[in-house]
Amino acid sequence: MLLITCPYCGPRPEIEFAHGGEAHIARPQDPSSLGVEDWTEFLYMRANPKGVHAERWRHLHGCARFFNALRDTTTDQFVATYKTGEPRPDLTAVTA
Amino acid sequence: MSGSFRTGIGGRIRRERTVRFRFDGVTYAGVEGDTLASALLANGVHLMGRSFKYHRPRGVLGAGADEPNALVEVIRDAGRTVPNLRATQVELYNGLEARSQNRWPSLAFDVGAINNLMAPFIPAGFYYKTFMWPRKAWDALYEPVIRAAAGLGHAPTDPDPDSYLNRYAHCEVLVVGAGPTGLSAALTAARGGGRVMLVDEQCEPGGSLLSEPDVRIDGLSTRDWIARTVAELNANPRVTILSRATAFGYFAHNMIAVNERLSEHQADPVPGAPRERLWQIRAGEVVIAAGAHERPLVFPDNDRPGILLAGAARTYLNRYGVLPGRRVVIATGHDEAYRTAIDLSRAGVEVAVIADLRPRPTGPLVELARALGLPIRTGCAITGSKGGRRVTSARLSAILGAGKLGPPDEIACDAVLMSGGYTPSVHLFSQSRGKLRWDEALSAFLPDVSAERERSAGACRGVFSLEAALADGATAGAAAAGVAPPTPLRTTAVDAEPAGVIGAVPHDRGPGARAFVDWQNDVTSKDLKLAVREGFQSVEHVKRYTTNGMATDQGKTSNINALGVLADELKRPVEKIGLTTFRMPYTPVTFGVLAGMARGDLFDPVRTTPIHGWAVDQGAVFEDVSLWKRARYFPQGGEDMEAAVRRECVAVRNACGIFDASTLGKIEVVGRDAAEFMNRFYINAWTKLGIGRCRYGVLCREDGFVMDDGVVGRIAADRFHVTTTTGGAPRVLNMMEDYLQTEWPELDVWFTSTTEEWAVIALQGPKARDILAGLVEGIDLSQEALPHMALTEGQICGVPTRLFRVSFSGELGFEINVPASHGRRVWEAVWAAGQPHGLTAYGTETMHVLRAEKGFIIVGQETDGTATPDDVGLAWAVGKAKPDYVGKRSLARPSMSAPDRKQLVGLLTESPETVLQEGAQIVASLGLKAPMPVIGHVTSSYYSAVLGRSIALAMVSGGRAKMGETLYSPAGSGDVPVKVVGPVFYDPEGARLNV
């Protein structure tokens, strides 16, 4: 069971959370103005990387808030968690 | 073999405390402190099981968790029969009843042993190759017979009567294994001041030290050193020691699963006391001190009873005071066996010979054996054995070099004790996804790169010497706790050379000889070589083809020898072949402890409404709807469901029905921007919905497909009472929060789940208003004041209510929302008031029929996640003037309005009595042969009592353009013709609603 650090509540077991798919995919301001390609890209296309993945989690059985996390999909280790609306942490800056 | 093999002194047993037990129906005596295996050996019983495939007689091989042969069933009663227990780990208690496995009719005479004679015809992959044809015979004949002949133990026949516990724990340092390394690690880690947990699978801490009576540590005997160490740990309130507790799984982020056995070892467990406890321990740091497993030698006939591991024999002698035999042959490629020889010799056992594979063994243990005058043959291979149910002689051959062996020599003996060296137990480390490296000098895989915050110490990372292991444990414990390591302890232990041998021992016995690599699965070196010859190269494939390393022991004794054989055959170094994946559990775990309290009523939460008890009293039949128990129908006087539903339907249409709608999901949407949120979220237009008015809301996902629906009432300018489907409330609330928190955080609105706050009593039928009239205060129920799709607040039976004028039946209807705590009282008041009017209680089945007669959809029944609002006839609900709502852009895609989309229609069979199957396919013409083009499917189908005929709803490709056409539903009895009609069968004008 993963140990996930909610940016509001601190480290909690995975059973308190719900996964919310890839992060930083903002809903377009005016969807109706988008062409088919752009809308398809927003709706269906996901990165699915091998390595560090920015993803949404919700602390469903805690503060109930959504937040974002960087998780390495090859090791299941979390690199960082951060609040919704904050930019994706720059890992090169973290490790430097 | 008769007589006692118990020594007069020594061991950690209490000779004065006799324990009586039964094995295969025979009563034996052991002593307190024995395991089942040690007690049987003390009685001269080596034969403890039959092998899996060939039914060969097998004795005990080891003394611990690695035991592949001596698997037994321990029986307390029909519900407390535990199969596949290792006799080496079954603690003896008075009255213990155990049974050997995999034999019929008896262990000594086993009919299945015919397989042994057939062995030349049962090579690796035999079953795969032979029982292929005909295909049908596999299910009916081959598999049942093979399973009956081959299985392990039997599962208990009765439900498990015992209870199991589940506990979470947190600690700064978890130490796995309480041998010398683990004790040393825990002691040091505890000085850091954090919480330390020490878990060990045995009945007492000490590990290998329990078999080392003569060594002194820090000037103390091992017994005293263990006692002093445990006392210091126990005195520390931050330290927890768990015995009989196996760390069987290493999960992500340092979550370790531990199975603690609480009462398995007791003769008379306290009734009702838990049997086992599952610990889920989240550790800051883990120290793995799991020790090592001794490797057998792979030589022909190496599986006779009486042939066991040398280290196990030493454990039986030193810990249990049991002699493995009276005249033993030691066959070895490793120094440790000399320790066994020396100890046995001192205990009065005749050591016939020490046959050492190595040409020039040296070192203090070898010298000590020489000094004692023990006969040693170096460069000597064991090439066979004789004996039936017990070994009677060993066959030895000198190794001459270049693959040549000298003439064989037969040495009489009653036990052969073998050792190929020790294999570090890297199971937990590998489960943690750590990477291993091959150490050529030790012929072992060792932990290399960690994936979690853990460190291995002692024998499990190749540090075998006692003094070095104690120091290694201390260092690991210190590093884990962030303290300085203490001064190393001195011991009197004599060290062994760490290197041993792997793979098969050379022999001259020809192709018929069988040298077992995996005892439990009856895999021989020949089987492995055959697999290679047949083209299997990957170790994972060889494992699956030969079954090497499978089943309860998970290859603890066999994996490395199998690799040695494969390396020889593939002419590749071992590290290029690699290991198979180590899987949890380390040793078998009962389903009981994994299930814990989650059994029976506690398996899944059960949700009941405030009116549930009333429905139970009325004899309602319930159905599960998500976690809810819902009354399905209320049978009267022996009615079946069909009769009850017809009666209930007619009553609603002609008088009035009462229905418990409390399970409907309810969400209160409140705030200055509540209307704006609703506008963006639901497909409908909300801003112009007046206060005190309701609207049927439809929710799409962003991909444009219907996700949920429900009536929404506007309580105030800034307050909506949203209802959802019974199962959909959590999804809808989650999606609302998602959009609010991540897309529209600027909106001032919040959501509260009110599903369980309100009891909802649906009153449906022409008499509904009359029934309600006497119960409400301050509410005008007239058509003018409270028309269809209106709501009002007031009092009913002295309780505040939100009264909705809504209908899911097509009749004049009200949904009375009252606080849940008053639900039953109000329900009973309405029930009483309705009796003069013929009020009838109805359940979900009638509700379904009534709404189908009106063509109302049920999300999840008519829709399947690929239906748009228009597909199910809800295009009217779309707020077309809105610039945006969830799903709008997707609904604008051309394919979403293609004319051949499946659309909701009604179907009428020719015969009014024929009720179509829900889910049945719809095709365009008669007499088609499968596979045929399917153009739709039936989503709802009922007999309508009020219409006197069957009705059905269906999703049919281009269905709305097919009105009046005849289509067909292929059924077992032939194609059923159906006429396409509109989906509203009853009162299509809605005249009955507006009264």
Side-chain angles (χ1 to χ4, degrees):
Chain A
M1 190 177 1
L2 304 180
L3 187 66
I4 302 173
T5 302
C6 169
Y8 303 96
C9 307
R12 295 288 188 279
E14 184 185 344
I15 49 170
E16 294 185 11
F17 296 85
H19 191 264
E22 188 173 341
H24 303 298
I25 297 178
R27 188 172 187 270
Q29 285 295 319
D30 182 11
S32 294
S33 68
L34 263 61
V36 168
E37 295 291 320
D38 290 341
W39 184 248
T40 302
E41 182 72 23
F42 159 75
L43 199 55
Y44 294 117
M45 295 305 167
R46 297 294 181 266
N48 194 26
K50 179 181 181 181
V52 176
H53 184 227
E55 60 195 16
R56 306 179 332 139
W57 285 85
R58 186 179 178 209
H59 194 189
L60 183 60
H61 303 294
C63 65
R65 278 190 272 198
F66 281 86
F67 61 91
N68 294 331
L70 297 182
R71 180 178 59 94
D72 190 327
T73 58
T74 62
T75 64
D76 259 353
Q77 298 293 329
F78 283 88
V79 181
T81 55
Y82 52 103
K83 295 174 181 176
T84 299
E86 291 178 356
R88 175 178 171 147
D90 183 354
L91 290 184
T92 54
V94 171
T95 51
Chain B
M1 196 61 54
S2 62
S4 175
F5 286 78
R6 185 79 69 184
T7 61
I9 52 161
R12 299 177 72 91
I13 49 169
R14 298 173 70 179
R15 283 180 180 70
E16 72 283 7
R17 304 283 284 270
T18 300
V19 175
R20 305 224 168 259
F21 67 101
R22 281 169 24 115
F23 179 65
D24 280 345
V26 179
T27 301
Y28 296 96
V31 298
E32 210 174 271
D34 261 329
T35 63
L36 177 59
S38 71
L40 286 170
L41 288 179
N43 285 279
V45 177
H46 274 253
L47 177 61
M48 296 189 199
R50 287 271 173 176
S51 73
F52 185 67
K53 186 167 150 190
Y54 300 131
H55 291 249
R56 285 168 69 95
R58 289 281 167 80
V60 69
L61 183 75
D66 51 356
E67 175 57 38
N69 284 342
L71 301 184
V72 298
E73 283 172 23
V74 172
I75 305 124
R76 285 188 200 262
D77 55 47
R80 294 184 177 89
T81 299
V82 187
N84 302 333
L85 290 175
R86 294 150 300 284
T88 52
Q89 292 187 303
V90 174
E91 292 176 53
L92 209 62
Y93 56 78
N94 238 332
L96 179 126
E97 169 96 35
R99 194 157 60 195
S100 61
Q101 299 183 166
N102 205 27
R103 83 289 184 277
W104 184 85
S106 74
L107 186 56
F109 177 73
D110 175 15
V111 167
I114 189 78
N115 275 7
N116 189 33
L117 303 178
M118 299 275 288
F121 311 105
I122 317 181
F126 171 74
Y127 296 100
Y128 299 137
K129 292 167 186 164
T130 310
F131 299 104
M132 292 175 66
W133 200 260
R135 169 66 186 83
K136 276 184 179 165
W138 179 256
D139 301 324
L141 179 64
Y142 300 149
E143 186 173 352
V145 171
I146 293 169
R147 284 201 184 280
L152 291 170
H154 300 96
T157 50
D158 282 12
D160 190 339
D162 287 319
S163 65
Y164 300 81
L165 299 179
N166 185 1
R167 213 175 140 176
Y168 290 92
H170 298 80
C171 62
E172 275 64 57
V173 181
L174 169 68
V175 180
V176 178
T181 309
L183 284 170
S184 177
L187 199 58
T188 311
R191 288 169 189 157
R195 293 163 297 178
V196 173
M197 294 186 76
L198 174 63
V199 302
D200 186 89
E201 65 176 347
Q202 301 210 49
C203 61
E204 57 177 328
S208 62
L209 294 179
L210 300 172
S211 308
E212 294 284 358
D214 300 328
V215 168
R216 299 189 82 76
I217 302 173
D218 202 17
L220 300 173
S221 70
T222 48
R223 182 184 290 265
D224 290 345
W225 185 80
I226 295 168
R228 187 185 75 181
T229 306
V230 170
E232 182 176 338
L233 290 170
N234 278 334
N236 185 335
R238 308 276 282 167
V239 174
T240 306
I241 302 179
L242 300 179
S243 285
R244 299 187 179 92
T246 306
F248 67 84
Y250 201 126
F251 296 84
H253 300 182
N254 269 3
M255 170 72 87
I256 315 296
V258 174
N259 179 23
E260 184 186 13
R261 294 168 297 281
L262 301 168
S263 64
E264 211 63 56
H265 60 289
Q266 294 168 348
D268 297 299
V270 178
R275 179 156 154 185
E276 297 178 25
R277 180 187 285 128
L278 177 69
W279 290 81
Q280 289 164 271
I281 302 174
R282 182 81 71 179
E285 300 280 344
V286 175
V287 177
I288 303 174
H293 298 294
E294 194 169 20
R295 279 193 303 282
L297 289 179
V298 179
F299 64 89
D301 320 323
N302 59 350
D303 67 328
R304 290 191 205 288
I307 301 181
L308 58 158
L309 292 166
R314 189 156 173 269
T315 290
Y316 287 119
L317 172 67
N318 289 338
R319 183 170 173 186
Y320 300 106
V322 173
L323 304 176
R326 311 233 186 258
R327 177 181 159 89
V328 302
V329 166
I330 310 270
T332 187
H334 190 262
D335 282 2
E336 279 292 336
Y338 286 80
R339 254 195 251 279
T340 305
I342 293 162
D343 287 359
L344 283 173
S345 168
R346 284 175 178 159
V349 171
E350 182 186 351
V351 176
V353 64
I354 301 174
D356 197 323
L357 285 160
R358 299 170 298 179
R360 278 173 295 280
T362 54
L365 286 166
V366 180
E367 297 316 316
L368 196 54
R370 283 209 174 97
L372 286 171
L374 298 182
I376 301 172
R377 292 191 198 179
T378 61
C380 179
I382 181 165
T383 53
S385 72
K386 283 188 180 166
R389 287 175 225 156
R390 179 76 183 262
V391 67
T392 54
S393 72
R395 183 181 188 270
L396 304 180
S397 311
I399 302 170
L400 302 176
K404 292 261 195 298
L405 293 171
D409 190 4
E410 199 170 313
I411 310 289
C413 61
D414 62 357
V416 174
L417 312 176
M418 60 182 164
S419 180
Y422 280 78
T423 300
S425 172
V426 294
H427 297 72
L428 281 181
F429 174 79
S430 294
Q431 286 180 21
S432 80
R433 300 195 194 181
K435 287 199 174 62
L436 300 167
R437 71 176 169 84
W438 174 252
D439 187 295
E440 191 61 46
L442 295 180
S443 296
F445 282 100
L446 301 181
D448 190 15
V449 182
S450 289
E452 296 279 0
R453 298 189 65 85
E454 56 70 42
R455 42 182 63 71
S456 294
C460 70
R461 71 175 196 105
V463 177
F464 292 114
S465 129
L466 177 58
E467 202 164 288
L470 287 165
D472 203 37
T475 305
V483 298
T487 319
L489 299 174
R490 295 280 156 233
T491 74
T492 60
V494 179
D495 290 344
E497 282 297 315
V501 295
I502 67 169
V505 171
H507 70 79
D508 55 356
R509 294 280 304 283
R514 269 182 288 172
F516 285 87
V517 177
D518 184 328
W519 273 248
Q520 184 155 96
N521 292 295
D522 272 347
V523 180
T524 65
S525 56
K526 209 167 57 175
D527 292 325
L528 293 169
K529 289 175 183 171
L530 177 65
V532 170
R533 283 207 303 282
E534 292 185 355
F536 292 93
Q537 303 263 319
S538 152
V539 64
E540 295 283 1
H541 290 159
V542 172
K543 169 179 172 173
R544 279 151 188 79
Y545 191 57
T546 63
T547 68
N548 191 85
M550 291 191 175
T552 66
D553 69 348
Q554 287 286 293
K556 290 183 182 71
T557 50
S558 66
N559 274 346
I560 296 298
N561 277 334
L563 274 181
V565 173
L566 288 177
D568 275 354
E569 195 68 12
L570 288 165
K571 309 276 184 286
R572 267 192 268 156
V574 171
E575 70 266 31
K576 295 276 185 241
I577 296 173
L579 267 177
T580 52
T581 310
F582 287 92
R583 298 186 194 283
M584 52 195 82
Y586 174 73
T587 46
V589 174
T590 61
F591 282 115
V593 79
L594 296 178
M597 304 291 281
R599 304 167 57 182
D601 287 347
L602 298 180
F603 178 69
D604 221 6
V606 173
R607 302 178 78 181
T608 55
T609 74
I611 295 135
H612 183 80
W614 186 89
V616 171
D617 293 345
Q618 296 290 315
V621 175
F622 291 87
E623 67 170 337
D624 291 336
V625 181
S626 63
L627 296 174
W628 290 100
K629 293 283 177 204
R630 300 198 73 178
R632 193 173 187 194
Y633 56 100
F634 291 81
Q636 288 185 358
E639 280 176 331
D640 61 8
M641 183 168 86
E642 196 181 324
V645 168
R646 288 185 188 199
R647 174 181 50 75
E648 291 172 12
C649 284
V650 170
V652 173
R653 296 277 180 229
N654 292 339
C656 193
I658 186 168
F659 174 71
D660 181 4
S662 303
T663 65
L664 278 183
K666 294 171 277 292
I667 301 167
E668 194 92 337
V669 176
V670 186
R672 199 184 58 217
D673 296 321
E676 173 63 19
F677 176 85
M678 293 296 291
N679 239 19
R680 295 186 191 185
F681 198 67
Y682 278 79
I683 69 170
N684 317 65
W686 298 99
T687 37
K688 287 183 185 155
L689 180 67
I691 294 164
R693 288 293 179 269
C694 307
R695 184 161 286 167
Y696 169 69
V698 178
L699 176 64
C700 285
R701 299 187 310 238
E702 200 66 89
D703 61 12
F705 297 123
V706 174
M707 174 175 147
D708 203 84
D709 67 349
V711 170
V712 176
R714 192 160 197 176
I715 305 294
D718 62 351
R719 183 177 293 263
F720 290 85
H721 178 118
V722 176
T723 67
T724 72
T725 58
T726 290
R731 289 197 280 282
V732 173
L733 182 59
N734 188 64
M735 185 167 150
M736 284 180 170
E737 289 285 353
D738 191 348
Y739 276 82
L740 176 64
Q741 291 185 33
T742 69
E743 302 294 351
W744 309 318
E746 72 280 6
L747 294 185
D748 179 12
V749 60
W750 62 92
F751 318 116
T752 308
S753 168
T754 54
T755 300
E756 303 210 344
E757 308 308 313
W758 297 106
V760 183
I761 302 161
L763 202 57
Q764 305 276 309
K767 303 281 183 63
R769 187 181 284 121
D770 302 338
I771 295 168
L772 212 47
L775 300 172
V776 295
E777 299 161 48
I779 296 176
D780 183 350
L781 293 173
S782 70
Q783 166 70 5
E784 296 68 36
L786 192 65
H788 179 54
M789 296 305 269
L791 74 89
T792 187
E793 292 181 276
Q795 301 259 323
I796 183 167
C797 308
V799 175
T801 181
R802 283 181 183 174
L803 184 64
F804 286 66
R805 170 87 192 272
V806 288
S807 174
F808 199 42
S809 64
E811 300 298 328
L812 166 67
F814 299 90
E815 286 186 2
I816 307 156
N817 287 257
V818 291
S821 53
H822 298 286
R824 172 126 185 215
R825 192 167 67 78
V826 174
W827 173 283
E828 286 177 359
V830 176
W831 177 249
Q835 288 315 299
H837 300 278
L839 182 63
T840 299
Y842 67 98
T844 51
E845 197 63 25
T846 291
M847 177 269 284
H848 277 106
V849 177
L850 296 171
R851 65 89 203 175
E853 288 170 347
K854 287 291 294 178
F856 296 149
I857 66 156
I858 287 193
V859 171
Q861 185 156 342
E862 272 63 44
T863 71
D864 59 1
T866 66
T868 67
D870 182 56
D871 293 344
V872 287
L874 299 175
W876 58 267
V878 175
K880 295 181 183 63
K882 294 197 294 182
D884 188 22
Y885 58 84
V886 175
K888 182 180 169 81
R889 175 64 188 87
S890 290
L891 288 170
R893 292 166 55 221
S895 64
M896 299 297 248
S897 47
D900 62 346
R901 292 191 63 81
K902 283 189 180 178
Q903 295 166 336
L904 181 71
V905 295
L907 297 179
L908 292 176
T909 54
E910 260 176 19
S911 153
E913 296 302 317
T914 302
V915 180
L916 294 169
Q917 284 282 317
E918 287 184 355
Q921 308 285 12
I922 301 296
V923 297
S925 48
L926 263 178
L928 294 171
K929 291 266 181 293
M932 58 188 92
V934 168
I935 61 168
H937 63 278
V938 177
T939 58
S940 296
S941 180
Y942 306 99
Y943 184 83
S944 165
V946 75
L947 296 169
R949 61 154 302 130
S950 66
I951 56 168
L953 297 172
M955 294 295 287
V956 174
S957 176
R960 286 199 288 267
K962 290 188 166 67
M963 288 299 152
E965 290 182 22
T966 298
L967 305 175
Y968 301 90
S969 178
S973 51
D975 294 350
V976 179
V978 293
K979 193 170 87 174
V980 181
V981 297
V984 185
F985 300 95
Y986 185 74
D987 185 29
E989 308 79 29
R992 301 180 69 86
L993 282 172
N994 297 302
V995 291

